[in-house]
Amino acid sequence: MAAASGLAGAGDTFATGVEDLHGGWSGGMAQYYKAPEQEQVCTLLGHPKDTAKALRDSTASAAQALKSFAEGALDIVARRAALVAELESYGQTGGPAFDPTTDRPVFQHRANVLADDYRALDDRCVNALNALHRNTTSTFASYGPPDPAAAVNAATAVYNTLTQGRSTDPQRDLTRLLRSMDLMTPEEIAAFKADNPGWALVAAPVGLDPSANKDLWASLRHPEIVIAALPLLAGNLEGVPYSDRAKGNQLALQAAAAQDGLTQEQETAFKNLAESLESPSPETNGQRHLLAFDPSVIPPLAMVSIGNVDEADYVTVNVPGMDATTERMTDWTDAAQSLYDAQEKIDGNSSHAVIAWMNYTTPDLFPSSADVLQSDLARAGGDRLAANLTGIHTVLGDNAFLTVTAHSYGTPTTGDGLEKIDFQVDAVVLYGSAGMDTDVTRDATSMQVAQDQNGNPQVFATQARADNVAGRGILGSQLVGDGRLGATNPLFGAKVFSSDGNELLAPTDEHSAYTGRENRQDSQGYLDPGTQSLRSIARITMDLGEQVDVRDPMPLDYREHHKVTHPQLYGPRF
């Protein structure tokens, strides 16, 4: 407060000095000295006098803002000290009894109020200071009345720093941007959009911390303002509740589809994405949500959930294989729906969600492209999968049973992603695998997956006898690619289950993940209704893996010995 008073005093002293100087020339000296340039000098001194007066007013405003901040901070410090003292006295002799079930929420609420009060105090001070603007470009810099565009200009400056890649601390600048927008009026938001025509499709910065994003989002008073003003950015912040992300991505999808000059791929993908968010029929279970959206690549990337991830007890992320794109997003959401429905039959009272994960670029079909024999795209996709899984874990913690299911080329992608996270998923299912990238995922123990009571990772794998495509992909990678190992190979160490059917359930007859055919006389994929593979995968994803008949993995020491004696199985053969 002393500094605030000093600032106000300095502004007043400076203004008084300039006024005295002007008065001396225009009044006092006129009695003793007259010259042709006297009027010119007096005129020139009039401008410093006016700017000095403005400076006095603005320094007084700044001083008042700082004084108010200091007074409020003293109150918050005192309340915090009282709260700390109460907490420290609990449990001590003579102190009041501590009942966690009733008192802990009260203390937490008081701490949250302190934090909210401090943020509000800080925001008011910053906004008051930002509202002061320089009103002259002369060497006599001065500051005038509050600028109505100050908040918009400040937000735009940070926005440009982030979107133009000039930020040295994206997390800090994102915090500044969202908190400033959180305080804007509707008129200011409209002005911000007018000044920044790319607002709807600006992407979230890279390198952000999901936990920091979660805390930042929780601190916002009006997150709906940020969603409406920066929908794509809000829709793709890991750590943010998925219900809010879906709102942002829905707006971003509409904005992307309305652009001029779209390619045919983009038009098809945007249309198919929109269709994938609609339930096929009124009887279809599970609401659909667009959890992630990246229109910067062609075709765009996305994540669509069946069910509410925020409230789910069981979450399954289903990773596609080769030739899967958002141009055919409805195919992948139909596959997710089939798995969701199978889970519903197992436990219709639980909350569950299946995510149709189309958030990486997959290889084209062989032989039109040989990318499927290499693992480059899988490794790039693994980065994105790891980021998305970390976001899910940040939002849900350990409150949901999290499974990753992967088909074909999605299996090495999954192996790569699960090697890069710092927590464990609960289970993994690899079906119709195109082989695991042993440079990254040497065996099932390389992935961050929970273990069973025998110490084996909860990694399950299946490949139907009639699926010739998966085997050819593995062989091709060993002959001319980077040498992948089959997920059902005993040396990989997965728990292998059958997809070949039995007297009650249909076999998988081809490599497809999903065909939509329900008659067991027809050729069916791994996730088609009525198949043994779908029933087993649904059980595993609902934490009922013990009900699936499996071939247990080889002992780890035997597998390690075999890797030394048969190194040709862990890389290209020629």
Side-chain angles (χ1 to χ4, degrees), residues 55-102:
L55 179 63
R56 173 193 282 135
D57 295 340
S58 57
T59 51
S61 297
Q64 182 58 48
L66 294 173
K67 181 180 179 182
S68 297
F69 177 83
E71 291 173 345
L74 287 175
D75 175 65
I76 291 173
V77 168
R79 287 157 55 200
R80 179 184 180 278
L83 178 60
V84 171
E86 286 186 51
L87 288 170
E88 290 176 343
S89 68
Y90 269 58
Q92 298 179 4
T93 303
F98 179 59
D99 182 0
T101 59
T102 58

mmCIF file of all heavy atoms in Angstrom, residues 55-102:
data_model
loop_
_atom_site.group_PDB
_atom_site.id
_atom_site.type_symbol
_atom_site.label_atom_id
_atom_site.label_comp_id
_atom_site.label_asym_id
_atom_site.label_seq_id
_atom_site.Cartn_x
_atom_site.Cartn_y
_atom_site.Cartn_z
ATOM 1 N N LEU A 55 -1.705 11.918 -16.789
ATOM 2 C CA LEU A 55 -0.818 11.023 -16.055
ATOM 3 C C LEU A 55 -1.178 10.992 -14.578
ATOM 4 O O LEU A 55 -1.195 9.927 -13.945
ATOM 5 C CB LEU A 55 0.641 11.459 -16.229
ATOM 6 C CG LEU A 55 1.675 10.603 -15.486
ATOM 7 C CD1 LEU A 55 1.655 9.183 -16.013
ATOM 8 C CD2 LEU A 55 3.060 11.200 -15.625
ATOM 9 N N ARG A 56 -1.494 12.169 -14.012
ATOM 10 C CA ARG A 56 -1.890 12.228 -12.602
ATOM 11 C C ARG A 56 -3.140 11.360 -12.375
ATOM 12 O O ARG A 56 -3.216 10.587 -11.414
ATOM 13 C CB ARG A 56 -2.188 13.666 -12.201
ATOM 14 C CG ARG A 56 -2.784 13.783 -10.789
ATOM 15 C CD ARG A 56 -3.353 15.164 -10.553
ATOM 16 N NE ARG A 56 -2.326 16.138 -10.278
ATOM 17 C CZ ARG A 56 -2.270 17.363 -10.816
ATOM 18 N NH1 ARG A 56 -3.202 17.736 -11.694
ATOM 19 N NH2 ARG A 56 -1.303 18.204 -10.504
ATOM 20 N N ASP A 57 -4.113 11.481 -13.283
ATOM 21 C CA ASP A 57 -5.347 10.716 -13.129
ATOM 22 C C ASP A 57 -5.097 9.211 -13.238
ATOM 23 O O ASP A 57 -5.629 8.412 -12.457
ATOM 24 C CB ASP A 57 -6.370 11.141 -14.177
ATOM 25 C CG ASP A 57 -6.814 12.591 -13.991
ATOM 26 O OD1 ASP A 57 -6.643 13.119 -12.877
ATOM 27 O OD2 ASP A 57 -7.317 13.177 -14.979
ATOM 28 N N SER A 58 -4.296 8.809 -14.232
ATOM 29 C CA SER A 58 -4.082 7.380 -14.450
ATOM 30 C C SER A 58 -3.207 6.753 -13.377
ATOM 31 O O SER A 58 -3.434 5.614 -12.969
ATOM 32 C CB SER A 58 -3.488 7.118 -15.841
ATOM 33 O OG SER A 58 -2.291 7.827 -16.007
ATOM 34 N N THR A 59 -2.197 7.494 -12.887
ATOM 35 C CA THR A 59 -1.397 6.941 -11.793
ATOM 36 C C THR A 59 -2.239 6.814 -10.535
ATOM 37 O O THR A 59 -2.062 5.879 -9.739
ATOM 38 C CB THR A 59 -0.155 7.808 -11.520
ATOM 39 O OG1 THR A 59 -0.548 9.173 -11.362
ATOM 40 C CG2 THR A 59 0.849 7.687 -12.639
ATOM 41 N N ALA A 60 -3.161 7.730 -10.363
ATOM 42 C CA ALA A 60 -4.068 7.621 -9.224
ATOM 43 C C ALA A 60 -4.948 6.377 -9.361
ATOM 44 O O ALA A 60 -5.191 5.659 -8.384
ATOM 45 C CB ALA A 60 -4.932 8.877 -9.115
ATOM 46 N N SER A 61 -5.398 6.093 -10.598
ATOM 47 C CA SER A 61 -6.211 4.895 -10.828
ATOM 48 C C SER A 61 -5.396 3.630 -10.595
ATOM 49 O O SER A 61 -5.863 2.671 -9.971
ATOM 50 C CB SER A 61 -6.751 4.888 -12.263
ATOM 51 O OG SER A 61 -7.611 5.991 -12.485
ATOM 52 N N ALA A 62 -4.147 3.638 -11.090
ATOM 53 C CA ALA A 62 -3.274 2.479 -10.881
ATOM 54 C C ALA A 62 -2.996 2.282 -9.396
ATOM 55 O O ALA A 62 -2.998 1.152 -8.886
ATOM 56 C CB ALA A 62 -1.975 2.655 -11.652
ATOM 57 N N ALA A 63 -2.747 3.380 -8.702
ATOM 58 C CA ALA A 63 -2.468 3.300 -7.268
ATOM 59 C C ALA A 63 -3.672 2.737 -6.517
ATOM 60 O O ALA A 63 -3.520 1.925 -5.597
ATOM 61 C CB ALA A 63 -2.090 4.672 -6.731
ATOM 62 N N GLN A 64 -4.863 3.162 -6.914
ATOM 63 C CA GLN A 64 -6.060 2.665 -6.256
ATOM 64 C C GLN A 64 -6.241 1.176 -6.500
ATOM 65 O O GLN A 64 -6.627 0.421 -5.600
ATOM 66 C CB GLN A 64 -7.289 3.434 -6.758
ATOM 67 C CG GLN A 64 -8.601 3.018 -6.080
ATOM 68 C CD GLN A 64 -8.553 3.192 -4.577
ATOM 69 O OE1 GLN A 64 -8.140 4.244 -4.080
ATOM 70 N NE2 GLN A 64 -8.958 2.162 -3.835
ATOM 71 N N ALA A 65 -5.920 0.734 -7.740
ATOM 72 C CA ALA A 65 -6.026 -0.693 -8.052
ATOM 73 C C ALA A 65 -5.052 -1.507 -7.209
ATOM 74 O O ALA A 65 -5.399 -2.563 -6.667
ATOM 75 C CB ALA A 65 -5.762 -0.927 -9.542
ATOM 76 N N LEU A 66 -3.831 -1.010 -7.089
ATOM 77 C CA LEU A 66 -2.827 -1.717 -6.293
ATOM 78 C C LEU A 66 -3.188 -1.702 -4.810
ATOM 79 O O LEU A 66 -2.986 -2.685 -4.096
ATOM 80 C CB LEU A 66 -1.450 -1.092 -6.510
ATOM 81 C CG LEU A 66 -0.874 -1.235 -7.921
ATOM 82 C CD1 LEU A 66 0.409 -0.428 -8.051
ATOM 83 C CD2 LEU A 66 -0.603 -2.708 -8.230
ATOM 84 N N LYS A 67 -3.731 -0.572 -4.355
ATOM 85 C CA LYS A 67 -4.128 -0.472 -2.949
ATOM 86 C C LYS A 67 -5.258 -1.461 -2.648
ATOM 87 O O LYS A 67 -5.240 -2.148 -1.616
ATOM 88 C CB LYS A 67 -4.570 0.960 -2.632
ATOM 89 C CG LYS A 67 -4.976 1.167 -1.176
ATOM 90 C CD LYS A 67 -5.403 2.614 -0.935
ATOM 91 C CE LYS A 67 -5.844 2.805 0.522
ATOM 92 N NZ LYS A 67 -6.305 4.193 0.767
ATOM 93 N N SER A 68 -6.233 -1.528 -3.557
ATOM 94 C CA SER A 68 -7.341 -2.463 -3.355
ATOM 95 C C SER A 68 -6.844 -3.908 -3.348
ATOM 96 O O SER A 68 -7.295 -4.739 -2.550
ATOM 97 C CB SER A 68 -8.391 -2.284 -4.455
ATOM 98 O OG SER A 68 -8.953 -0.990 -4.404
ATOM 99 N N PHE A 69 -5.879 -4.186 -4.235
ATOM 100 C CA PHE A 69 -5.305 -5.529 -4.268
ATOM 101 C C PHE A 69 -4.604 -5.840 -2.952
ATOM 102 O O PHE A 69 -4.770 -6.926 -2.381
ATOM 103 C CB PHE A 69 -4.319 -5.664 -5.432
ATOM 104 C CG PHE A 69 -3.631 -6.998 -5.487
ATOM 105 C CD1 PHE A 69 -4.245 -8.097 -6.073
ATOM 106 C CD2 PHE A 69 -2.371 -7.168 -4.932
ATOM 107 C CE1 PHE A 69 -3.619 -9.330 -6.116
ATOM 108 C CE2 PHE A 69 -1.732 -8.402 -4.971
ATOM 109 C CZ PHE A 69 -2.361 -9.478 -5.568
ATOM 110 N N ALA A 70 -3.813 -4.886 -2.458
ATOM 111 C CA ALA A 70 -3.073 -5.109 -1.217
ATOM 112 C C ALA A 70 -4.018 -5.313 -0.036
ATOM 113 O O ALA A 70 -3.803 -6.196 0.807
ATOM 114 C CB ALA A 70 -2.142 -3.925 -0.953
ATOM 115 N N GLU A 71 -5.071 -4.513 0.026
ATOM 116 C CA GLU A 71 -6.022 -4.653 1.128
ATOM 117 C C GLU A 71 -6.719 -6.013 1.071
ATOM 118 O O GLU A 71 -6.879 -6.696 2.086
ATOM 119 C CB GLU A 71 -7.060 -3.531 1.075
ATOM 120 C CG GLU A 71 -6.480 -2.148 1.405
ATOM 121 C CD GLU A 71 -7.486 -1.038 1.173
ATOM 122 O OE1 GLU A 71 -8.514 -1.305 0.497
ATOM 123 O OE2 GLU A 71 -7.251 0.085 1.637
ATOM 124 N N GLY A 72 -7.124 -6.408 -0.141
ATOM 125 C CA GLY A 72 -7.773 -7.703 -0.287
ATOM 126 C C GLY A 72 -6.828 -8.857 0.016
ATOM 127 O O GLY A 72 -7.215 -9.856 0.623
ATOM 128 N N ALA A 73 -5.551 -8.706 -0.409
ATOM 129 C CA ALA A 73 -4.568 -9.757 -0.165
ATOM 130 C C ALA A 73 -4.315 -9.932 1.330
ATOM 131 O O ALA A 73 -4.158 -11.056 1.817
ATOM 132 C CB ALA A 73 -3.266 -9.442 -0.892
ATOM 133 N N LEU A 74 -4.266 -8.811 2.070
ATOM 134 C CA LEU A 74 -4.067 -8.898 3.517
ATOM 135 C C LEU A 74 -5.204 -9.683 4.168
ATOM 136 O O LEU A 74 -4.987 -10.499 5.067
ATOM 137 C CB LEU A 74 -3.974 -7.493 4.126
ATOM 138 C CG LEU A 74 -2.675 -6.728 3.854
ATOM 139 C CD1 LEU A 74 -2.781 -5.306 4.402
ATOM 140 C CD2 LEU A 74 -1.483 -7.461 4.494
ATOM 141 N N ASP A 75 -6.409 -9.438 3.708
ATOM 142 C CA ASP A 75 -7.561 -10.165 4.246
ATOM 143 C C ASP A 75 -7.466 -11.660 3.934
ATOM 144 O O ASP A 75 -7.719 -12.501 4.803
ATOM 145 C CB ASP A 75 -8.849 -9.589 3.655
ATOM 146 C CG ASP A 75 -10.078 -10.385 4.079
ATOM 147 O OD1 ASP A 75 -10.396 -10.389 5.283
ATOM 148 O OD2 ASP A 75 -10.699 -11.016 3.199
ATOM 149 N N ILE A 76 -7.070 -11.990 2.696
ATOM 150 C CA ILE A 76 -6.954 -13.399 2.314
ATOM 151 C C ILE A 76 -5.838 -14.080 3.103
ATOM 152 O O ILE A 76 -5.982 -15.225 3.560
ATOM 153 C CB ILE A 76 -6.715 -13.516 0.796
ATOM 154 C CG1 ILE A 76 -7.979 -13.084 0.037
ATOM 155 C CG2 ILE A 76 -6.315 -14.931 0.400
ATOM 156 C CD1 ILE A 76 -7.805 -12.987 -1.457
ATOM 157 N N VAL A 77 -4.715 -13.385 3.288
ATOM 158 C CA VAL A 77 -3.600 -13.952 4.064
ATOM 159 C C VAL A 77 -4.051 -14.235 5.494
ATOM 160 O O VAL A 77 -3.735 -15.285 6.071
ATOM 161 C CB VAL A 77 -2.393 -12.998 4.046
ATOM 162 C CG1 VAL A 77 -1.348 -13.426 5.079
ATOM 163 C CG2 VAL A 77 -1.765 -12.968 2.657
ATOM 164 N N ALA A 78 -4.807 -13.315 6.072
ATOM 165 C CA ALA A 78 -5.276 -13.501 7.445
ATOM 166 C C ALA A 78 -6.240 -14.694 7.533
ATOM 167 O O ALA A 78 -6.161 -15.511 8.457
ATOM 168 C CB ALA A 78 -5.959 -12.230 7.932
ATOM 169 N N ARG A 79 -7.132 -14.801 6.557
ATOM 170 C CA ARG A 79 -8.071 -15.925 6.572
ATOM 171 C C ARG A 79 -7.362 -17.256 6.347
ATOM 172 O O ARG A 79 -7.715 -18.276 6.950
ATOM 173 C CB ARG A 79 -9.140 -15.708 5.500
ATOM 174 C CG ARG A 79 -10.143 -14.605 5.868
ATOM 175 C CD ARG A 79 -10.811 -14.016 4.623
ATOM 176 N NE ARG A 79 -11.430 -15.027 3.804
ATOM 177 C CZ ARG A 79 -11.743 -14.863 2.518
ATOM 178 N NH1 ARG A 79 -11.484 -13.699 1.927
ATOM 179 N NH2 ARG A 79 -12.320 -15.825 1.832
ATOM 180 N N ARG A 80 -6.335 -17.227 5.502
ATOM 181 C CA ARG A 80 -5.558 -18.452 5.278
ATOM 182 C C ARG A 80 -4.823 -18.861 6.553
ATOM 183 O O ARG A 80 -4.787 -20.049 6.912
ATOM 184 C CB ARG A 80 -4.554 -18.236 4.144
ATOM 185 C CG ARG A 80 -3.679 -19.458 3.868
ATOM 186 C CD ARG A 80 -2.629 -19.166 2.813
ATOM 187 N NE ARG A 80 -1.810 -20.336 2.557
ATOM 188 C CZ ARG A 80 -0.767 -20.705 3.300
ATOM 189 N NH1 ARG A 80 -0.438 -19.970 4.384
ATOM 190 N NH2 ARG A 80 -0.062 -21.784 3.011
ATOM 191 N N ALA A 81 -4.225 -17.892 7.235
ATOM 192 C CA ALA A 81 -3.513 -18.205 8.472
ATOM 193 C C ALA A 81 -4.461 -18.809 9.505
ATOM 194 O O ALA A 81 -4.106 -19.752 10.223
ATOM 195 C CB ALA A 81 -2.850 -16.935 9.023
ATOM 196 N N ALA A 82 -5.673 -18.270 9.583
ATOM 197 C CA ALA A 82 -6.652 -18.811 10.523
ATOM 198 C C ALA A 82 -7.027 -20.241 10.155
ATOM 199 O O ALA A 82 -7.159 -21.113 11.037
ATOM 200 C CB ALA A 82 -7.889 -17.922 10.541
ATOM 201 N N LEU A 83 -7.185 -20.503 8.846
ATOM 202 C CA LEU A 83 -7.529 -21.847 8.408
ATOM 203 C C LEU A 83 -6.399 -22.829 8.714
ATOM 204 O O LEU A 83 -6.640 -23.939 9.208
ATOM 205 C CB LEU A 83 -7.829 -21.837 6.903
ATOM 206 C CG LEU A 83 -8.162 -23.187 6.257
ATOM 207 C CD1 LEU A 83 -9.397 -23.809 6.910
ATOM 208 C CD2 LEU A 83 -8.378 -23.027 4.747
ATOM 209 N N VAL A 84 -5.165 -22.418 8.431
ATOM 210 C CA VAL A 84 -4.008 -23.276 8.721
ATOM 211 C C VAL A 84 -3.914 -23.575 10.212
ATOM 212 O O VAL A 84 -3.650 -24.702 10.634
ATOM 213 C CB VAL A 84 -2.708 -22.619 8.213
ATOM 214 C CG1 VAL A 84 -1.486 -23.386 8.713
ATOM 215 C CG2 VAL A 84 -2.697 -22.567 6.684
ATOM 216 N N ALA A 85 -4.143 -22.547 11.038
ATOM 217 C CA ALA A 85 -4.081 -22.742 12.479
ATOM 218 C C ALA A 85 -5.137 -23.752 12.945
ATOM 219 O O ALA A 85 -4.867 -24.608 13.797
ATOM 220 C CB ALA A 85 -4.275 -21.406 13.193
ATOM 221 N N GLU A 86 -6.333 -23.655 12.391
ATOM 222 C CA GLU A 86 -7.380 -24.614 12.759
ATOM 223 C C GLU A 86 -6.994 -26.036 12.359
ATOM 224 O O GLU A 86 -7.196 -26.988 13.121
ATOM 225 C CB GLU A 86 -8.691 -24.231 12.083
ATOM 226 C CG GLU A 86 -9.394 -23.026 12.689
ATOM 227 C CD GLU A 86 -10.753 -22.802 12.048
ATOM 228 O OE1 GLU A 86 -11.535 -23.775 11.990
ATOM 229 O OE2 GLU A 86 -11.025 -21.676 11.611
ATOM 230 N N LEU A 87 -6.435 -26.179 11.164
ATOM 231 C CA LEU A 87 -6.041 -27.505 10.702
ATOM 232 C C LEU A 87 -4.926 -28.086 11.562
ATOM 233 O O LEU A 87 -4.930 -29.279 11.890
ATOM 234 C CB LEU A 87 -5.595 -27.440 9.238
ATOM 235 C CG LEU A 87 -6.698 -27.220 8.201
ATOM 236 C CD1 LEU A 87 -6.099 -26.931 6.837
ATOM 237 C CD2 LEU A 87 -7.602 -28.443 8.134
ATOM 238 N N GLU A 88 -3.958 -27.242 11.930
ATOM 239 C CA GLU A 88 -2.847 -27.724 12.736
ATOM 240 C C GLU A 88 -3.281 -28.116 14.143
ATOM 241 O O GLU A 88 -2.667 -28.973 14.780
ATOM 242 C CB GLU A 88 -1.750 -26.660 12.802
ATOM 243 C CG GLU A 88 -1.030 -26.460 11.467
ATOM 244 C CD GLU A 88 -0.005 -25.340 11.536
ATOM 245 O OE1 GLU A 88 -0.096 -24.523 12.490
ATOM 246 O OE2 GLU A 88 0.864 -25.276 10.647
ATOM 247 N N SER A 89 -4.341 -27.484 14.651
ATOM 248 C CA SER A 89 -4.797 -27.791 15.999
ATOM 249 C C SER A 89 -5.574 -29.092 16.066
ATOM 250 O O SER A 89 -5.732 -29.669 17.140
ATOM 251 C CB SER A 89 -5.669 -26.645 16.533
ATOM 252 O OG SER A 89 -6.896 -26.577 15.822
ATOM 253 N N TYR A 90 -6.058 -29.551 14.923
ATOM 254 C CA TYR A 90 -6.833 -30.790 14.919
ATOM 255 C C TYR A 90 -5.923 -31.983 15.224
ATOM 256 O O TYR A 90 -4.809 -32.082 14.725
ATOM 257 C CB TYR A 90 -7.503 -30.989 13.556
ATOM 258 C CG TYR A 90 -8.887 -30.370 13.523
ATOM 259 C CD1 TYR A 90 -9.044 -29.024 13.791
ATOM 260 C CD2 TYR A 90 -10.009 -31.136 13.245
ATOM 261 C CE1 TYR A 90 -10.293 -28.444 13.768
ATOM 262 C CE2 TYR A 90 -11.266 -30.567 13.216
ATOM 263 C CZ TYR A 90 -11.403 -29.216 13.485
ATOM 264 O OH TYR A 90 -12.641 -28.636 13.471
ATOM 265 N N GLY A 91 -6.417 -32.875 16.036
ATOM 266 C CA GLY A 91 -5.657 -34.059 16.386
ATOM 267 C C GLY A 91 -4.756 -33.872 17.582
ATOM 268 O O GLY A 91 -4.161 -34.837 18.076
ATOM 269 N N GLN A 92 -4.592 -32.631 18.045
ATOM 270 C CA GLN A 92 -3.744 -32.370 19.197
ATOM 271 C C GLN A 92 -4.562 -32.476 20.480
ATOM 272 O O GLN A 92 -5.783 -32.335 20.483
ATOM 273 C CB GLN A 92 -3.107 -30.987 19.095
ATOM 274 C CG GLN A 92 -2.193 -30.834 17.873
ATOM 275 C CD GLN A 92 -1.585 -29.454 17.788
ATOM 276 O OE1 GLN A 92 -1.783 -28.629 18.680
ATOM 277 N NE2 GLN A 92 -0.841 -29.206 16.730
ATOM 278 N N THR A 93 -3.867 -32.697 21.559
ATOM 279 C CA THR A 93 -4.528 -32.815 22.856
ATOM 280 C C THR A 93 -5.274 -31.529 23.172
ATOM 281 O O THR A 93 -4.720 -30.434 23.109
ATOM 282 C CB THR A 93 -3.500 -33.098 23.961
ATOM 283 O OG1 THR A 93 -2.783 -34.285 23.617
ATOM 284 C CG2 THR A 93 -4.197 -33.281 25.303
ATOM 285 N N GLY A 94 -6.521 -31.701 23.534
ATOM 286 C CA GLY A 94 -7.334 -30.532 23.871
ATOM 287 C C GLY A 94 -8.005 -29.907 22.684
ATOM 288 O O GLY A 94 -8.861 -29.044 22.836
ATOM 289 N N GLY A 95 -7.615 -30.331 21.479
ATOM 290 C CA GLY A 95 -8.227 -29.757 20.292
ATOM 291 C C GLY A 95 -9.533 -30.457 19.975
ATOM 292 O O GLY A 95 -9.837 -31.536 20.494
ATOM 293 N N PRO A 96 -10.315 -29.874 19.122
ATOM 294 C CA PRO A 96 -11.603 -30.496 18.773
ATOM 295 C C PRO A 96 -11.385 -31.800 18.013
ATOM 296 O O PRO A 96 -10.370 -31.984 17.359
ATOM 297 C CB PRO A 96 -12.272 -29.434 17.897
ATOM 298 C CG PRO A 96 -11.140 -28.627 17.358
ATOM 299 C CD PRO A 96 -10.096 -28.604 18.439
ATOM 300 N N ALA A 97 -12.321 -32.693 18.112
ATOM 301 C CA ALA A 97 -12.210 -33.971 17.412
ATOM 302 C C ALA A 97 -12.312 -33.752 15.905
ATOM 303 O O ALA A 97 -13.054 -32.887 15.448
ATOM 304 C CB ALA A 97 -13.317 -34.908 17.888
ATOM 305 N N PHE A 98 -11.566 -34.557 15.171
ATOM 306 C CA PHE A 98 -11.550 -34.414 13.713
ATOM 307 C C PHE A 98 -12.347 -35.559 13.096
ATOM 308 O O PHE A 98 -12.006 -36.725 13.275
ATOM 309 C CB PHE A 98 -10.114 -34.444 13.210
ATOM 310 C CG PHE A 98 -10.013 -34.330 11.713
ATOM 311 C CD1 PHE A 98 -10.528 -33.224 11.058
ATOM 312 C CD2 PHE A 98 -9.423 -35.330 10.962
ATOM 313 C CE1 PHE A 98 -10.438 -33.105 9.687
ATOM 314 C CE2 PHE A 98 -9.335 -35.230 9.597
ATOM 315 C CZ PHE A 98 -9.839 -34.106 8.955
ATOM 316 N N ASP A 99 -13.421 -35.215 12.424
ATOM 317 C CA ASP A 99 -14.250 -36.204 11.746
ATOM 318 C C ASP A 99 -14.121 -35.985 10.240
ATOM 319 O O ASP A 99 -14.737 -35.080 9.680
ATOM 320 C CB ASP A 99 -15.716 -36.039 12.170
ATOM 321 C CG ASP A 99 -16.608 -37.089 11.513
ATOM 322 O OD1 ASP A 99 -16.082 -37.919 10.749
ATOM 323 O OD2 ASP A 99 -17.823 -37.062 11.764
ATOM 324 N N PRO A 100 -13.280 -36.779 9.574
ATOM 325 C CA PRO A 100 -13.006 -36.546 8.150
ATOM 326 C C PRO A 100 -14.251 -36.511 7.287
ATOM 327 O O PRO A 100 -14.333 -35.731 6.339
ATOM 328 C CB PRO A 100 -12.091 -37.727 7.781
ATOM 329 C CG PRO A 100 -11.498 -38.165 9.067
ATOM 330 C CD PRO A 100 -12.541 -37.927 10.120
ATOM 331 N N THR A 101 -15.221 -37.343 7.595
ATOM 332 C CA THR A 101 -16.393 -37.431 6.723
ATOM 333 C C THR A 101 -17.218 -36.159 6.698
ATOM 334 O O THR A 101 -17.893 -35.863 5.710
ATOM 335 C CB THR A 101 -17.295 -38.603 7.166
ATOM 336 O OG1 THR A 101 -17.704 -38.379 8.517
ATOM 337 C CG2 THR A 101 -16.541 -39.917 7.076
ATOM 338 N N THR A 102 -17.151 -35.392 7.771
ATOM 339 C CA THR A 102 -17.951 -34.158 7.814
ATOM 340 C C THR A 102 -17.104 -32.905 7.723
ATOM 341 O O THR A 102 -17.499 -31.925 7.098
ATOM 342 C CB THR A 102 -18.774 -34.113 9.116
ATOM 343 O OG1 THR A 102 -17.876 -34.185 10.238
ATOM 344 C CG2 THR A 102 -19.760 -35.260 9.177
#
